[in-house]
Amino acid sequence: MSTIGTPLTRVDGRLKVTGHAQYSAEFNVPNLARAVIVGSTIPSGCITRIDVDRAERVADVIAILTPDNAPKLPGAERRVSVLQDNQVYYNRQPVALVIAENLHAAQYAASLIEVHYQDAPPKLDFLAGFPNSYPGSHNNEPGDLSWGDVDAGLAQAEIKVDQLYTTPIEHHNPMEPHATIAQWEGDHLTLHDATQNIFGVKKYLAKMFGISDDNVHVMSLFVGGAFGCKGQTWSHTILAAMAAKHVNRPVKLVLERPQMFGPVGARPRTHQRLTLGATRSGKLTAIRHEVHAHTSVIEDYLESSAFPTRVMYACPNVSTIHRLVPLNLGTPTYMRAPGVATGTYALEVGMDELAYELGMDPLQLRLVNYTDVDPHTKKPFTEKSLRECYTRAADRFGWSKRTPAPGSMRKGSLLVGWGMATETYPANRNVAGAVVRFLPNGRALVASGTEDIGTGMYTIMTQVAADTLGLSPALVDAKVGDTIFPQAPLAAGSMSTASVMPAVQAAAIAARTNLIALAVSDSSSPVYGASPNDVIITNGKISRKTLAGGAEDFTELLLRHGNQPVEGTAKAAPPEDLNQYSHHSFGAIFAEVLVDPDLRMVRVPRVVAVFDVGKLLNTKTGRSQFIGGIVWGISLALHEDTYVDERNGRIANANLADYRVPVNADIGDIDVTAIDAPDMNFNPLGARGIGEIGITGTGAAIANAIFHATGKRVRDLPITPDKLLT
Ligand code: MOS
């Protein structure tokens, strides 16, 4: 019986709920010193003087690092703020570091440091920055991409929608803050770092300190949420290593919650002008999607909001344009479904507006413009079952009972709104390695240098290895988050399952092959002399398929051979013919809102979504990923907003009390289903990624439902009651 695809409970669940899972800040390294970052209080300018006298006199302070005395780092570059110069590019940028015997001394001393500045005029006005905006790229894909003739397509259109959609800056807010424990032994650096990219940290720290990659060992065994903000190496990780080297002892640095707002990324603000042209029968003749998004003045990060527009609908004339607007804020970064979450909001609200202009059902409009090939490259999809998602989700939701007129549905005194949208996310895959071992104690080990950022990686690795080895999952131990294991891509871009599982499967096949080869050549084995193809392993027992000659536990075989593990390793890469295809996941989401007609409070009692993500390897952890994504979508639609004080670039709600995220009471019933359509063109397990697609489309489905309830089209997220009152 295969364990793949079953709802196996999270194998690390017990460790987590009993507090035994060790997060990066939780390692009891002997002689550990604590470091605290002092952040700038201006957004732009330079430091003229730092007065550390009072701070230095605090008991238990070991050292204070500032641009005046910090060691010069051979690999330093402007994108990180590691005390190499006096320049200030954003508010809360690290400008000094206190290292002390304990946290309280470090915090107190940090509060006594006086930093004097010379201000320079900051760039904080997003709209004023448009004339100086410039093109960018996202993951090596061009920001600007067009086909056909959009002007001609719009001239041909009988119906048009031309609107501006805006989304705010958002912050990831994982429960676990960024944290690093750094330790040097000579030229060798060991880090416990809260990261979704251990090999990225390893490479970057080696470059930063001018040492060989081999001299950096990074561990990230458990990650308390990441969502993109732990995908790249930020200043604090380097500062922790710098401090440890400077004081010649291990140092722990944990960001305080307010420090999570600025120095470690955010989802950038976007302005998206969307122009749709269609015939009276609803056929799209043109789409123009022009995005302005902010970046920092020290590094480009492009929010690729128009990327989903390149893949969603059949349309002969499409233009997608992105412009970066540099501001004196911390560099934005990938945040759950980067680009796609914000872009599907604009595109899918635009489609709803078009449906109303046409007097057509919004689902029908999607079906009229359905595409079975990539609309730009004309390549086939590796697998696409979106039509089935629409039908099934509409059915489960009861969409046919909807009356289209805004305000036409009620529940008691409340306005009822039903809205829908399409979901999509690219299917990514990259080279990954894994190792699998049969152990003399009767268990097996599967390890890969990937990370489990709460997704269920430990669990599905266990399942795939157990399945291939012929062992119960209870006898398989998975390990991740350590650069001593074979390299895997960063846990991001919904790519880990699709990348790592083929490597796990291949490594397990290699281990099994090696074990069987040992058995058939061992004269004491019941399968001695058999053809390896005739040998099977079931529940850890080696036998012929026919069971002739009996069976023995693999541990007995190992015992006769020095009691050593038998191992298999493998590296898996995307198939060579993958570029013949377009590879994306899709889904359909339907949302119900209840709106108080007087107070304009919005509730979301239920959401129904059906996903097409290839094969789901674990229906329990998979469902949890989808639900998490949808909760984020509800949050995008109704809650999250970062307030930047445009006078000083200070974030006014840099804490979990004022930065709104949904709580349990904000979330109603979420009904998720995945279509079982294995994508064998994508990888041998048929799986695509699932971590991000849930947030996409959700914002639009809710915005569309609110329009249906109220007749009010809010094109500026989040949709708060004040925007519905006016
Ligand atoms: Mo993600 S935003 O690719 O962690």
Side-chain angles (χ1 to χ4, degrees):
M1 260 289 283
S2 176
T3 165
I4 295 176
T6 64
L8 182 70
T9 293
R10 218 172 263 276
V11 297
D12 49 336
R14 181 178 293 271
L15 282 181
K16 285 184 168 171
V17 298
T18 56
H20 286 89
Q22 275 187 295
Y23 292 80
S24 293
E26 298 180 327
F27 289 83
N28 283 323
V29 177
N31 200 29
L32 192 61
R34 296 297 301 259
V36 166
I37 290 175
V38 177
S40 70
T41 54
I42 65 161
S44 174
C46 64
I47 300 161
T48 52
R49 187 166 61 85
I50 301 190
D51 189 347
V52 298
D53 291 355
R54 286 173 67 209
E56 267 174 349
R57 287 199 298 272
V58 172
D60 290 339
V61 165
I62 305 164
I64 295 174
L65 291 172
T66 71
D68 295 331
N69 67 340
K72 292 294 170 224
L73 300 183
E77 53 187 358
R78 204 166 69 139
R79 65 166 293 273
V80 284
S81 313
V82 289
L83 315 178
Q84 302 293 293
D85 59 42
N86 289 321
Q87 298 300 308
V88 176
Y89 303 107
Y90 62 94
N91 210 316
R92 246 193 265 280
Q93 173 190 317
V95 293
L97 191 70
V98 179
I99 305 130
E101 293 293 339
N102 56 68
L103 180 62
H104 303 296
Q107 283 175 330
Y108 179 54
S111 75
L112 298 178
I113 291 180
E114 287 171 32
V115 186
H116 303 268
Y117 302 96
Q118 184 171 14
D119 292 290
K123 290 183 188 144
L124 289 166
D125 186 335
F126 182 55
L127 300 179
F130 281 28
N132 295 320
S133 63
Y134 53 88
S137 62
H138 181 94
N139 292 345
N140 299 319
E141 287 185 56
D144 293 3
L145 180 73
S146 300
W147 64 90
D149 182 338
V150 166
D151 290 330
L154 286 172
Q156 219 182 303
E158 292 164 300
I159 308 281
K160 276 181 229 168
V161 165
D162 183 8
Q163 293 293 352
L164 179 68
Y165 302 93
T166 58
T167 65
I169 298 174
E170 294 185 344
H171 283 84
H172 308 69
N173 280 305
M175 288 303 291
E176 178 207 27
H178 291 254
T180 308
I181 293 176
Q183 201 172 356
W184 290 87
E185 276 167 78
D187 251 3
H188 190 271
L189 173 63
T190 302
L191 294 169
H192 288 284
D193 192 36
T195 177
Q196 57 198 105
N197 188 2
I198 50 174
F199 282 93
V201 171
K202 176 184 168 89
K203 217 174 152 59
Y204 199 70
L205 271 280
K207 173 190 157 181
M208 200 54 52
F209 288 90
I211 55 179
S212 143
D213 284 10
D214 297 340
N215 278 0
V216 185
H217 178 196
V218 182
M219 283 165 280
S220 182
L221 305 191
F222 293 94
V223 183
F227 317 116
C229 69
K230 293 171 182 164
Q232 56 186 292
T233 313
W234 301 106
S235 312
H236 66 274
T237 304
I238 302 158
L239 290 172
M242 178 197 275
K245 202 175 171 83
H246 186 75
V247 302
N248 197 25
R249 58 189 271 197
V251 167
K252 169 152 96 179
L253 200 172
V254 180
L255 293 194
E256 292 161 10
R257 186 57 61 176
Q259 294 173 334
M260 300 287 288
F261 291 77
V264 288
R267 196 193 293 284
R269 182 172 172 185
T270 73
H271 268 218
Q272 304 178 50
R273 170 110 183 252
L274 181 74
T275 315
L276 302 175
T279 64
R280 241 173 251 294
S281 61
K283 279 261 179 215
L284 287 164
T285 58
I287 310 176
R288 180 185 286 134
H289 194 165
E290 185 177 11
V291 181
H292 281 83
H294 93 270
T295 187
S296 72
V297 300
I298 50 176
E299 190 182 5
D300 288 348
Y301 169 77
L302 177 66
E303 178 76 358
S304 52
S305 303
F307 279 27
T309 302
R310 298 172 181 176
V311 73
M312 203 81 111
Y313 298 113
C315 181
N317 308 298
V318 174
S319 176
T320 59
I321 304 155
H322 295 82
R323 291 293 174 269
L324 288 163
V325 180
L327 296 178
N328 283 103
L329 295 172
T331 307
T333 193
Y334 305 86
M335 180 161 157
R336 204 166 192 172
V340 190
T342 48
T344 51
Y345 157 67
L347 178 64
E348 291 297 287
V349 173
M351 287 294 279
D352 198 67
E353 302 209 44
L354 184 61
Y356 273 94
E357 293 291 327
L358 289 161
M360 184 182 272
D361 181 90
L363 172 55
Q364 185 57 27
L365 178 63
R366 268 75 174 187
L367 292 172
V368 165
N369 292 289
Y370 195 88
T371 181
D372 284 308
V373 296
D374 184 302
H376 173 229
T377 62
K378 308 289 186 253
K379 291 176 184 177
F381 292 101
T382 48
E383 186 282 324
K384 181 176 178 182
S385 309
L386 174 57
R387 218 183 276 278
E388 203 179 335
C389 295
Y390 285 134
T391 317
R392 261 211 236 177
D395 198 44
R396 286 178 86 88
F397 186 82
W399 184 251
S400 62
K401 296 189 200 72
R402 177 180 183 262
T403 56
S408 63
M409 292 172 70
R410 299 242 168 188
K411 188 176 267 177
S413 66
L414 299 174
L415 298 161
V416 174
W418 287 4
M420 60 84 56
T422 312
E423 304 164 298
T424 190
Y425 196 75
N428 297 314
R429 191 179 162 189
N430 221 322
V431 180
V435 56
V436 170
R437 286 188 195 125
F438 285 97
L439 302 176
N441 66 4
R443 303 185 66 83
L445 171 78
V446 52
S448 172
T450 179
E451 301 84 9
D452 189 327
I453 55 176
T455 47
M457 179 54 70
Y458 278 112
T459 310
I460 58 169
M461 279 173 65
T462 304
Q463 286 173 281
V464 172
D467 195 70
T468 315
L469 296 177
L471 285 178
S472 151
L475 291 175
V476 176
D477 298 304
K479 289 195 183 296
V480 304
D482 192 320
T483 54
I484 62 168
F485 300 138
Q487 185 164 351
L490 71 164
S494 296
M495 75 175 136
S496 291
T497 295
S499 305
V500 177
M501 290 312 121
V504 166
Q505 190 181 49
I509 290 171
R512 190 181 63 188
T513 303
N514 292 341
L515 188 79
I516 290 173
L518 189 65
V520 296
S521 63
D522 177 340
S523 58
S524 305
S525 164
V527 299
Y528 176 59
S531 156
N533 291 333
D534 289 333
V535 177
I536 52 168
I537 308 170
T538 12
N539 289 323
K541 289 203 175 349
I542 307 170
S543 69
R544 284 183 168 82
K545 279 181 190 158
T546 59
L547 298 180
E552 79 170 349
D553 203 274
F554 75 86
T555 53
E556 296 172 53
L557 175 68
L558 296 189
L559 194 58
R560 290 195 299 276
H561 294 269
N563 227 15
Q564 293 301 306
V566 168
E567 175 179 296
T569 59
K571 207 174 189 181
E576 272 169 22
D577 65 352
L578 192 56
N579 65 4
Q580 293 174 16
Y581 299 98
S582 184
H583 31 99
H584 296 264
S585 286
F586 291 95
I589 182 156
F590 291 75
E592 175 172 309
V593 299
L594 297 175
V595 184
D596 182 307
D598 302 316
L599 301 174
R600 301 274 147 169
M601 300 285 289
V602 177
R603 311 295 300 177
V604 187
R606 65 189 185 105
V607 171
V608 173
V610 176
F611 295 96
D612 165 29
V613 293
K615 169 95 181 157
L616 204 53
L617 299 186
N618 181 315
T619 44
K620 190 185 267 184
T621 55
R623 182 169 173 274
S624 166
Q625 285 291 293
F626 291 134
I627 290 174
I630 290 168
V631 170
W632 273 58
I634 294 169
S635 192
L636 174 87
L638 300 177
H639 300 282
E640 288 180 65
D641 198 353
T642 300
Y643 304 121
V644 177
D645 187 328
E646 289 196 3
R647 295 165 304 178
N648 55 25
R650 198 84 172 165
I651 292 168
N653 55 342
N655 60 72
L656 286 176
D658 298 314
Y659 184 88
R660 287 189 313 277
V661 292
V663 296
N664 206 43
D666 293 310
I667 303 301
D669 185 54
I670 299 178
D671 174 309
V672 294
T673 321
I675 287 184
D676 190 25
D679 185 350
M680 304 314 287
N681 292 319
F682 195 60
N683 72 39
L685 290 135
R688 296 193 299 259
I690 56 171
E692 292 168 277
I693 190 168
I695 183 175
T696 75
T698 307
I702 290 168
N704 296 340
I706 291 172
F707 174 77
H708 181 232
T710 64
K712 172 108 186 141
R713 188 68 78 173
V714 178
R715 302 185 182 89
D716 175 45
L717 293 185
I719 304 174
T720 44
D722 54 308
K723 294 176 189 170
L724 290 167
L725 277 168
T726 51

